[in-house]
């Protein structure tokens, strides 16, 4: 097992396709694609590429820490009781455990993610 993992930003394999849970959907009809690329530490750390079409959903992290690097697209994140923050291609951010807010995909977004549970 190699301890070096390259994340393919344009994976050649088929993604897992999904949509938001009905209780998390705010507006639009977003769809999601996930290209899971690595799992480590007994399923505690997940890495891959995720894509979403325009729409608005509730983002609830629970106990999960998530690092995101935006490859393309445009989003607006609004923390509960906070001000909106816009992220675009080239930007990176972290949603810490306990984060609750609104994820608004303005232009189809593709990101690299690393989640730690």
């Amino acid at each position: 097992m190699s301890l070096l993992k390259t994340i393919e930003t344009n994976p050649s394999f088929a993604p897992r396709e999904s949509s938001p849970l009905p209780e998390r959907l705010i507006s639009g009809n977003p769809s999601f694609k996930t290209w899971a690329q690595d799992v480590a530490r007994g399923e505690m750390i997940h890495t891959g590429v995720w894509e979403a079409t325009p729409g608005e959903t509730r983002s609830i992290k629970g106990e999960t820490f998530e690092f995101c690097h935006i490859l393309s697209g445009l989003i607006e994140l609004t923390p509960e009781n906070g001000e909106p923050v816009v992220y675009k291609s080239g930007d990176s951010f972290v949603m810490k455990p306990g984060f609750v807010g609104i994820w608004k995909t303005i232009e189809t977004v593709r990101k690299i993610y690393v989640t730690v549970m």
Side-chain angles (χ1 to χ4, degrees):
M1 176 182 86
S2 175
L3 296 179
L4 178 64
K5 175 65 182 169
T6 299
I7 302 301
E8 297 176 45
T9 57
N10 292 300
S12 57
F13 59 93
R16 179 176 55 86
E17 298 190 34
S18 61
S19 55
L21 297 171
E23 62 270 20
R24 294 218 181 161
L25 180 63
I26 297 170
S27 68
N29 187 24
S31 63
F32 308 141
K33 293 180 180 177
T34 304
W35 292 268
Q37 296 186 37
D38 194 55
V39 177
R41 300 268 169 125
E43 298 282 328
M44 289 183 60
I45 303 170
H46 293 249
T47 307
V49 172
W50 182 83
E51 186 176 277
T53 59
E56 207 167 348
T57 58
R58 286 178 182 75
S59 181
I60 302 170
K61 286 289 118 187
E63 294 301 312
T64 303
F65 170 101
E66 182 174 0
F67 167 82
C68 302
H69 177 75
I70 304 294
L71 297 168
S72 61
L74 183 67
I75 66 163
E76 179 183 271
L77 279 181
T78 306
E80 191 172 62
N81 302 316
E83 295 296 315
V85 181
V86 173
Y87 293 105
K88 62 186 180 330
S89 178
D91 292 341
S92 300
F93 59 94
V94 169
M95 289 181 285
K96 296 182 180 181
F99 176 87
V100 174
I102 296 172
W103 176 293
K104 181 178 183 181
T105 302
I106 299 165
E107 296 172 2
T108 296
V109 67
R110 182 177 284 211
K111 69 176 184 178
I112 293 173
Y113 67 86
V114 178
T115 60
V116 180
M117 296 181 210

